[in-house]
Structure formats: C-alpha cells, structure tokens
Amino acid sequence: MSQPISATSVTSIRELSQHAGQEVELSGWIDNKRSSGKIAFLQVRTAGGVVQAVAGRKDVSEEAWADIERVTQESTVRVRGTVKEDKRSPIGVEIQANGFEILSLTQDYPITPKEHGTAFLMEHRHLWLRSSRQRAALRVRSEVEQGIRDFFYDRQFTLIDSPILTPAACEGTSTLFETDYFGDKAYLSQSGQLYLEPAAAALGKVYCFGPTFRAEKSKTRRHLMEFWMVEPEVAFLEFEGLCALTEEFVGYLAARILDRSKEDLKVLERDTAKLEKVVPPFPRITYTQAVEILNREGNPLKWGDDFGGDEETILASQFDRPVMVTRFPASFKAFYMQPDPENPETVLGLDLLAPEGYGEIIGGSQRIHDHDLLLSRIQQHNLPVEAFQWYLDVRKYGAFPHSGFGMGIERFVAWMTGLTHLRETIPYPRMLYKIYP
Amino acid sequence: MSQPISATSVTSIRELSQHAGQEVELSGWIDNKRSSGKIAFLQVRTAGGVVQAVAGRKDVSEEAWADIERVTQESTVRVRGTVKEDKRSPIGVEIQANGFEILSLTQDYPITPKEHGTAFLMEHRHLWLRSSRQRAALRVRSEVEQGIRDFFYDRQFTLIDSPILTPAACEGTSTLFETDYFGDKAYLSQSGQLYLEPAAAALGKVYCFGPTFRAEKSKTRRHLMEFWMVEPEVAFLEFEGLCALTEEFVGYLAARILDRSKEDLKVLERDTAKLEKVVPPFPRITYTQAVEILNREGNPLKWGDDFGGDEETILASQFDRPVMVTRFPASFKAFYMQPDPENPETVLGLDLLAPEGYGEIIGGSQRIHDHDLLLSRIQQHNLPVEAFQWYLDVRKYGAFPHSGFGMGIERFVAWMTGLTHLRETIPYPRMLYKIYP
C-alpha cells in the first residue's frame, strides 16, 4: 500500500478529532472485528485508545478486502481513510477506510474473548496488558502518579529520591529482601521516611516516590512484594497541619481522576457517584472513639489493640467519605511518633481509611523531634542506636517539629478503579512465588 | 514569644514577596549570621530558600537580642517582622525583624564554613544536604525529574512502572545484585526496557522512570551502584523518529532548567551560556564518521571497537551541542537492536554524547520486531531462550516496529549543574563500599 501525499500519519488516537474530514493513516492492533461480508467494523488500537474503522467492500481494493477478511485479533495493521465525526464514539470520530494492510498476522493469540482463569492471565501478563480493563487500570495508575507529582510540585516540594539499598535492618529482617553489597549486607527499603527527615531540614518540604519492598509470606489480595509508595515530609508542620495536608492530597487526587480518567472509569464500570463524595473535610475520629464505635457495632476490640481488616471495614462503613482515625496507643505504633500532649499513652499518628472496604490507604504522624526522647524510644524498642546515629543527628543539630505520611499507590488505584485485587493495579505484580514475566 | 494577631505564618520563602509591607512570622535554620553589636544580619533557611532577616538591637526585646547574640549556625529559630522589598536580594525581599526566638540551639555543628574533605562530607551526607550547593543541585535534580514527567505526560505517554525484582539474569550475573525470592533467585533490575515493549503493544507510547542497579566494582566519578533511569518506548516509531524524539527531549529539558532553575545554577556557578546552545537540531554522525574523526584527531580506534571515555571526550569536543552518534557495529551492541538496512554489520542504535566532557547521556535503538531474527540473536548471544519467551511473544502476536532510549538522570543532572562527580547529583549516593547513611 503506497502512502498518498494527502494522508496525515497519526500516532495517537486522541489526535484524530483534530483531523475531521481529512485523510489519515495509522498503524495499530486489531482489538476486535465484525464483518457482514459487505462491510467490516474494525476496532483498531494504538497510542491513546481504540478507534473504529469502517470499511465497505466496494471502498477498498480487492487485496485490502482480502486482508480485512483474514485479519485476526491482535494482528498489526495499517489503515488509511477519512476521519468522520461520530457522536456515538467515545472519541467523537471514526475512520471511513479506503486502504488496509496487514503488517503482521497473529495466529492463536492465547487470550480470547472467552473467560480465562486468573492464573492463566497472570502467566500471560505481558499480553493481558492489552485487554481493555487492564489498559484502563494502568492509565488510571499513570494519571494518579502524575497527579501526585503535580500536587507536590505545585506546592514547591523538592523531590528527594530516597535510597533503595539500605544498610540497617531497622525493625528486624524477617520481612526484608537482603542482598550482598560488596561484602556487607544490604536490604531493600520499606520506606524512605528516615532519609527524608534530614532532607526536610535542608529544603523544608520534600517528598519521595519510588518502589518499596516487603518480603512477607502472605498471599492476600491486599499484598504485593513490590509496590510504589509516596511519602511527603514537611518541616515545622505539626499534627493538625498534617491532617489538613492528607485531606487536601486525597481530595485533589480523587477530583483529578474523576475529571481526567472518565473514559477509563467507564470501561472499569466504576460507580463514580461514590468517588464524587470524596471531598474534604473528611470525618475525623480518635482511636478511642473508634473503639467505642466498634464495640457499639458488636466488635469486641479492646482499647490498646490494633485494627485488622475487619475493624477497618466496620469503621469505614460508618461514613461515605474516607475517615481519619487519629491518636493511637503508642504501644503498637512506630517508635518515632510524637506523643500526644493530651494523653502520653497515645501518639500523634493518623490512619486514613478509604470507604467501600478499601482499607487503610494512608498512615502518617508527627515525628518526635526531641533528641533525648527519640533516643529513649530507640532503646525501648531494642533498636541498634549506632545505626540510628545519623537519624538522631537530625534532632541534635537544629531540632524542628515535622510531620509526614505514606501512601501506597496500588491500594489507592484499587480504590479509584474499583478493582478488588492489587495485582491489576501494577503492570508486573510481584506476589508470593510469582515473579514471571 | 507570643504571636501577634497580625502576623501571617509563612511556610515557604517564595511566599514572602506576596507579603511586602506585612507582618510575618517564619521558622527555619540559621544558615549564617553577621552582627556588629548593634545590628544583626541573619540568613534564615526554610522551605523555598533563604531570606535575610535584619535585626536592630533597639527594634527587639532584650531577651530576643540575647538570643540573636548567642544563636549559632544550624540552630532552629522563629523570626517575626515586616517584609521589606530589597532589590539586592535574589528573592526580592528581606525581613525587618521585631521578634526572635531560638527553638533549638545547635552546638558543635560538624560542617563549618572551612573546607572539609569529601570522605568527611560523605560520612555526613545527611547534614551536608543543608549546604547551599547541595541544596541547589538537588533542586535542579527535582526540576529535571518533574520536567521528564511533564514531557511524557504532555505527549500522552502512559507511565509503566517496570519491576525491580526480576527473575532472569539476562546478560550474566556479574554486575547484578541478587536476592532470595521465596526460594528462587531474583535480581535487581538494570533496565525496564524489556518490560516496556509488551506495554507499548497495549498502550502505544509508554515510559518507565525508576531506580536501576549495577553491582560494578568500579570507583569512578561517573558510576553509582544505584541510579535513576528514564526509558520511553514507542510503538511504530522507527529510527529517524527516535532521533527526533531524543533531540526534542533533551532540548526541552535544557530549556526548562535554564528557565526554572536560574537561581540554583547561579549558586552552582554554572556557565549557562554553554547550556543555551543546547537547542535542536543536534549534529548527527554515524559511527563510521566518528571513527574517521577520531583517527584524524590522532586516536587510533579501529572500526569495530567500542568507544571509551577518551573517545567520547574527543568526539564531543568537536561540537558545542550534544552530538548524536548512530549506526554502530552490531558486534558490541545489545542483541535486540534492529539491523541497519543500509549495512547489515551495523544496527540502528544511537548514543547522545553531551558536550563539556559529560560523556554519553542517552543510549537508544530501534528494536528487532521480527520474531525469527530476534530468536536467532538470542541464540547467537548464548542467552537462555526460555527466559525470553514472553519477550519473544511481543513479536509472535502482532509484531510492530518500535524504538526507545534510556537516560541516566545523574549524568544529565551533572551536566546541567556542572558537577564533576555523580555523588552530588543524588541525595544518598550508593558507591563502592559506601552505603551509609
């Protein structure tokens, strides 16, 4: 097929609407095909989405019609034709084809429109990515991630890439991936927070956003071995300010996804009415109030015990927006959390629980900024003081109140997309015994 | 110090210019101090930079003046005063102080204005971050990273986070960090490219941008064990288009840094005239032409040999902009590079060499899209076919021409900032035997 001088080469579906009435040429994959023998409807996928090309038998050469007849799902093709406005199309246009060519004919594509088991699909993750739901989920993920970058960039945060290879096994090695580092032991990071705190003393408002790792022998829909986490850390931000930042952040992201990922949410059949309620202010309850709610609802949790999935679900179901639970018992929270001035048994920590059963999506706290208090906490937790010397230095030289939180991206994307299993929220999930492809 | 009702709490230096004539209060660190006994000039650092606070002895309380007299470098303080326009200031304003309080007095801060050796500074990296040059370099890094995100987002690329934990030791294990993955061996990724190619078949234009790892026993200023790499991959993009994308990308980033990182480049004493020349089109030479230039310049490199640092420096010095070297011998390039139709001994690969001795910053290629050709290359390179089955599938089901490149962020930031050693371009560098803090 020779390219006529008048055809514009289009590399993204989204450009098409700018070319209404014009002759274009584009290459892509056959997502789906219907043909009556006289007219064929080809769903062609390339960057930006899928466009329908309509080809009448009389409008194309014999050779092209033969190609249209024999083309299969996931073959690569080149289509030429005129862009026509079409109000029924999600992209507003379709292509009236006058040329068609198979670039590579696909045979026996493993994933067919019939139902496949998840194990099979996971083994073929590299091909499963091409399915409409998977594409939609990954586009939402991409939008969430850019939204996070923009949120912090617009607020003058400096991005601080925290290291993945870390020396200290701060809290036991049982859930850490270990590697040899030129004769020393190194571990894959579970959080960048400790590295952010010194950077906050340099630059005031900082964040990191990268992969984190947890070698946990658990096989649930809510766990991955490798996941991405965003963590802001802000100098001179105290607990009330942290609660406000958390709210603003989640409200911004939910609004952005509703605004910019409409088509993808439609593909995923997400009930967007539920997401439209995610507008600050969010309800805030203390841990103590949470225990009262749980007991009232028949859950026997005692003050001092941590929540599990069941407790999170009960609490979240009381509200139509995310609920912020604050001021937890120090006993089961991280050693670095600032004591609550109103009750020394509790700490200035927060968990944000998503509605609809998506569980805890954010955990944060004000950090202890007093050197001696932090030192005593490190000792009480039987942590190696030597390994924390540099972290203590942040309190020794210009101590400052500061706060931050962490959010796992996959859980957030699961909530936005309505997916029940985290494995579909990341391109190549790493799960128990599952590292291929 | 009680806070008067009229004082606005300022959390970023950049907000100050909006408050000219107003009463403000801000917290931060003492970056520097000069005092005549009657008037003190305090450089206060917090989010967004440094502001000068000027305090006359008569303008503050006796208690506040005593605090000003005894305050030391890197103490945290709270300053109250009126924002005054000041044309000499890089931020356009200073603070006429009327209140001052020490929050935390720092004693014996290890990094003083005198010269320190690099080993000492690296041991104190968590504090060294506070120095003006380090802050400037990390702010440039942050701007480069956001620039990269924006470049691809604006061009409708989908972000695909490639996995860090990978099963196959594709090209020998000698430079790979290894870890146990529930009884299997896993390796830390050196590139996301192979994982991007299947995603390009799903979404057309994709990129990844995350940490990569190289366990190389080398101790040069150009190597880190852990570094961040950005890799775009584009379906139906052929070699000429790849060269154009590479140029557009680098031109965009250089222009953005010149525009948005002016103050930081000034702190770093970067000769920006050199960066202003980084405007496409860039000169392009083939590998064969490069060998001719080298031989003419007295370098004895023979056709078929790879470049080292010396050759890169000679080639780059011929041009005032980055130079693109193309069509390398297949013999020393990666197995997946598409053969050059004009010469089967060479491949459609490119290296972009930065000027001023910063070396290769980008490497890219068109990829082999023919299944059988790729299979034969995998076999010729003695790679395990089984481990590449999923990668071959990308050619089996809807083969498509495609291209991409990779750019290491640290080298790019070194070039932009004029830093000679990569260790200052990343917050916590991981080098040979160096993993603390």
Side-chain angles (χ1 to χ4, degrees):
Chain A
M1 187 172 73
S2 66
Q3 184 179 328
I5 287 162
S6 64
T8 305
S9 193
V10 169
T11 61
S12 170
I13 296 294
R14 293 195 215 174
E15 292 165 43
L16 280 174
S17 59
Q18 300 155 25
H19 294 283
Q22 292 172 31
E23 185 88 354
V24 297
E25 183 177 86
L26 71 86
S27 301
W29 288 259
I30 294 293
D31 218 50
N32 215 333
K33 180 182 91 167
R34 279 187 301 125
S35 173
S36 70
K38 286 183 184 166
I39 186 165
F41 301 90
L42 304 152
Q43 307 299 325
V44 182
R45 183 181 79 241
T46 195
V50 174
V51 65
Q52 173 163 277
V54 182
R57 183 169 193 160
K58 290 178 296 184
D59 301 327
V60 297
S61 68
E62 262 186 51
E63 206 184 345
W65 185 257
D67 266 3
I68 288 172
E69 289 279 270
R70 74 190 177 99
V71 75
T72 52
Q73 189 200 353
E74 291 304 325
S75 292
T76 36
V77 301
R78 192 182 291 147
V79 177
R80 200 176 63 232
T82 310
V83 180
K84 291 258 156 101
E85 284 190 34
D86 177 26
K87 297 230 164 95
R88 293 158 304 175
S89 159
I91 57 164
V93 292
E94 62 177 24
I95 294 175
Q96 195 69 40
N98 55 41
F100 184 87
E101 184 188 10
I102 294 174
L103 301 177
S104 169
L105 186 71
T106 287
Q107 277 162 332
D108 305 320
Y109 186 65
I111 302 177
T112 57
K114 71 161 191 170
E115 288 276 311
H116 293 282
T118 308
F120 177 85
L121 291 169
M122 287 296 294
E123 274 301 303
H124 293 83
R125 181 65 178 163
H126 55 296
L127 300 176
W128 190 24
L129 295 175
R130 303 184 187 187
S131 306
S132 61
R133 286 177 60 86
Q134 301 307 310
R135 294 196 322 263
L138 293 181
R139 270 197 301 260
V140 171
R141 177 187 173 99
S142 180
E143 188 64 47
V144 166
E145 297 196 303
Q146 185 71 21
I148 290 169
R149 304 278 175 193
D150 290 349
F151 179 88
F152 290 117
Y153 183 78
D154 292 346
R155 284 156 186 79
Q156 292 154 35
F157 281 65
T158 304
L159 172 62
I160 290 292
D161 294 310
S162 54
I164 307 299
L165 293 167
T166 56
C170 295
E171 302 180 56
T173 58
S174 64
T175 63
L176 290 167
F177 288 105
E178 182 185 305
T179 188
D180 172 72
Y181 193 85
F182 306 106
D184 279 335
K185 280 181 183 173
Y187 304 90
L188 302 192
S189 177
Q190 296 195 333
S191 160
Q193 180 200 321
L194 270 52
Y195 293 93
L196 283 182
E197 295 183 45
L203 294 153
K205 298 195 271 188
V206 295
Y207 81 103
C208 68
F209 186 5
T212 47
F213 304 86
R214 199 169 292 260
E216 214 168 339
K217 262 208 168 175
S218 68
K219 209 173 176 173
T220 84
R221 62 189 177 86
R222 280 195 188 173
H223 285 93
L224 296 169
M225 302 306 156
E226 180 179 329
F227 55 100
W228 282 63
M229 185 147 71
V230 56
E231 294 171 274
E233 191 73 33
V234 185
F236 300 107
L237 186 74
E238 302 192 33
F239 190 63
E240 281 303 307
L242 177 69
C243 295
L245 180 69
T246 304
E247 253 177 15
E248 188 187 348
F249 176 71
V250 171
Y252 168 89
L253 288 180
R256 179 158 168 154
I257 293 306
L258 280 169
D259 178 39
R260 303 203 194 182
S261 299
K262 276 192 200 75
E263 287 304 323
D264 293 319
L265 296 181
K266 207 175 285 176
V267 169
L268 293 159
E269 300 167 280
R270 181 67 170 108
D271 179 358
T272 51
K274 296 237 167 83
L275 295 181
E276 271 154 21
K277 291 186 182 144
V278 184
V279 177
F282 300 152
R284 294 184 196 176
I285 56 173
T286 63
Y287 168 85
T288 303
Q289 290 169 323
V291 174
E292 285 163 15
I293 292 172
L294 288 168
N295 293 164
R296 194 186 68 208
E297 297 293 318
N299 182 294
L301 188 102
K302 289 205 190 74
W303 200 100
D305 291 342
D306 198 1
F307 302 150
D310 286 352
E311 286 75 21
E312 287 178 3
T313 302
I314 296 169
L315 289 169
S317 71
Q318 311 290 309
F319 306 93
D320 60 358
R321 284 164 298 159
V323 54
M324 207 178 283
V325 187
T326 63
R327 300 172 194 264
F328 291 86
S331 55
F332 62 79
K333 285 290 185 184
F335 71 93
Y336 50 69
M337 290 195 185
Q338 176 77 359
D340 181 354
E342 290 170 22
N343 178 358
E345 273 186 84
T346 61
V347 288
L348 296 177
L350 71 83
D351 281 1
L352 189 73
L353 307 180
E356 304 178 68
Y358 287 96
E360 185 207 320
I361 50 164
I362 285 183
S365 72
Q366 185 169 337
R367 326 303 191 185
I368 292 173
H369 61 272
D370 182 82
H371 177 276
D372 296 345
L373 176 60
L374 183 64
L375 179 60
S376 73
R377 286 290 161 93
I378 287 172
Q379 288 162 338
Q380 281 162 25
H381 281 74
N382 292 315
L383 296 169
V385 174
E386 195 49 47
F388 285 96
Q389 211 52 62
W390 63 277
Y391 185 65
L392 283 160
D393 275 0
V394 179
R395 283 76 182 167
K396 196 167 173 186
Y397 305 113
F400 60 112
H402 55 291
S403 303
F405 66 74
M407 182 177 90
I409 300 315
E410 289 73 18
R411 285 194 186 183
F412 187 82
V413 173
W415 173 33
M416 290 293 115
T417 54
L419 290 166
T420 52
H421 202 302
L422 293 189
R423 67 184 162 219
E424 294 181 48
T425 64
I426 186 167
Y428 296 93
R430 295 298 180 240
M431 302 185 302
L432 196 58
Y433 310 121
K434 169 76 188 85
I435 197 176
Y436 174 96
Chain B
M1 186 173 74
S2 67
Q3 184 179 331
I5 288 162
S6 63
T8 304
S9 193
V10 170
T11 61
S12 170
I13 295 294
R14 294 194 215 174
E15 292 166 43
L16 279 173
S17 59
Q18 302 154 23
H19 294 283
Q22 291 173 29
E23 186 88 354
V24 298
E25 183 177 84
L26 72 86
S27 301
W29 288 260
I30 295 293
D31 219 50
N32 215 333
K33 179 182 91 167
R34 279 186 303 124
S35 174
S36 70
K38 285 181 182 166
I39 186 163
F41 300 91
L42 304 152
Q43 307 299 325
V44 182
R45 183 182 77 241
T46 196
V50 174
V51 65
Q52 174 163 278
V54 182
R57 183 169 193 159
K58 291 178 298 185
D59 301 328
V60 297
S61 68
E62 262 186 51
E63 207 182 347
W65 185 257
D67 267 2
I68 288 171
E69 289 277 271
R70 75 190 177 101
V71 76
T72 53
Q73 189 200 352
E74 291 304 327
S75 292
T76 34
V77 302
R78 192 181 292 147
V79 178
R80 199 177 62 234
T82 310
V83 180
K84 291 259 155 99
E85 284 190 33
D86 178 26
K87 297 229 165 95
R88 293 159 304 176
S89 159
I91 57 163
V93 294
E94 63 176 26
I95 294 175
Q96 196 68 43
N98 56 39
F100 185 88
E101 184 188 10
I102 294 174
L103 301 177
S104 170
L105 187 70
T106 288
Q107 277 161 331
D108 306 320
Y109 186 65
I111 302 177
T112 57
K114 72 161 189 169
E115 288 275 312
H116 293 281
T118 308
F120 177 85
L121 291 169
M122 286 296 293
E123 274 300 301
H124 293 83
R125 181 65 179 165
H126 56 296
L127 301 175
W128 191 24
L129 294 176
R130 302 184 187 186
S131 305
S132 60
R133 287 177 59 87
Q134 301 306 312
R135 292 192 329 259
L138 293 180
R139 270 197 301 258
V140 171
R141 178 188 172 98
S142 178
E143 187 65 45
V144 166
E145 298 196 303
Q146 184 71 22
I148 290 169
R149 304 276 175 195
D150 290 349
F151 179 88
F152 290 117
Y153 183 77
D154 291 346
R155 284 157 187 79
Q156 292 155 34
F157 281 65
T158 303
L159 173 62
I160 289 292
D161 294 311
S162 54
I164 306 300
L165 294 167
T166 57
C170 294
E171 304 181 56
T173 58
S174 65
T175 63
L176 290 168
F177 288 105
E178 182 185 305
T179 189
D180 171 72
Y181 193 86
F182 307 105
D184 280 335
K185 280 180 184 175
Y187 303 90
L188 303 192
S189 177
Q190 295 195 333
S191 160
Q193 180 200 320
L194 270 52
Y195 293 93
L196 283 182
E197 295 183 45
L203 295 153
K205 299 195 272 187
V206 295
Y207 81 102
C208 68
F209 186 4
T212 48
F213 304 85
R214 199 169 293 260
E216 213 169 340
K217 262 208 167 174
S218 69
K219 210 174 177 173
T220 83
R221 62 190 176 84
R222 280 195 190 172
H223 285 94
L224 295 169
M225 302 305 155
E226 180 180 327
F227 56 100
W228 281 62
M229 184 146 74
V230 56
E231 295 171 274
E233 191 73 33
V234 185
F236 299 107
L237 186 73
E238 302 194 33
F239 191 61
E240 281 304 307
L242 177 69
C243 294
L245 180 69
T246 304
E247 254 177 14
E248 188 187 349
F249 177 70
V250 171
Y252 168 88
L253 287 181
R256 178 157 169 155
I257 293 306
L258 280 169
D259 178 41
R260 303 202 193 182
S261 299
K262 277 194 199 74
E263 287 303 322
D264 292 319
L265 296 181
K266 208 175 283 173
V267 169
L268 294 160
E269 299 169 279
R270 180 67 170 109
D271 179 358
T272 50
K274 296 237 167 83
L275 294 181
E276 272 154 20
K277 291 185 182 143
V278 185
V279 177
F282 299 153
R284 293 185 197 176
I285 55 174
T286 63
Y287 168 84
T288 303
Q289 290 169 323
V291 173
E292 285 163 16
I293 292 172
L294 289 168
N295 293 164
R296 195 185 69 207
E297 297 293 318
N299 181 294
L301 187 102
K302 288 204 191 73
W303 200 100
D305 291 343
D306 198 1
F307 303 150
D310 286 352
E311 286 76 20
E312 287 177 2
T313 303
I314 295 169
L315 289 170
S317 70
Q318 312 289 309
F319 306 94
D320 61 357
R321 285 165 298 160
V323 54
M324 208 177 282
V325 187
T326 63
R327 299 173 194 262
F328 290 87
S331 56
F332 62 78
K333 285 291 185 182
F335 72 91
Y336 49 69
M337 291 196 185
Q338 175 77 357
D340 182 355
E342 291 170 22
N343 177 358
E345 273 187 85
T346 62
V347 288
L348 296 176
L350 71 83
D351 280 2
L352 190 73
L353 307 180
E356 304 178 67
Y358 286 96
E360 184 206 319
I361 50 163
I362 285 184
S365 71
Q366 185 169 337
R367 326 303 190 184
I368 292 174
H369 61 272
D370 181 82
H371 178 276
D372 296 346
L373 176 60
L374 183 64
L375 178 60
S376 72
R377 286 289 161 93
I378 288 172
Q379 288 162 337
Q380 279 161 28
H381 280 75
N382 292 314
L383 296 169
V385 174
E386 194 48 48
F388 285 97
Q389 213 51 63
W390 64 276
Y391 185 64
L392 283 161
D393 275 359
V394 179
R395 282 78 182 167
K396 196 166 173 187
Y397 305 114
F400 59 112
H402 56 291
S403 303
F405 66 73
M407 182 176 90
I409 300 315
E410 289 73 17
R411 285 194 185 183
F412 187 83
V413 173
W415 173 33
M416 289 294 114
T417 54
L419 289 167
T420 52
H421 202 302
L422 293 189
R423 67 184 163 221
E424 293 181 49
T425 64
I426 187 167
Y428 295 93
R430 294 298 180 241
M431 302 184 303
L432 196 58
Y433 309 121
K434 168 76 188 86
I435 197 176
Y436 174 95

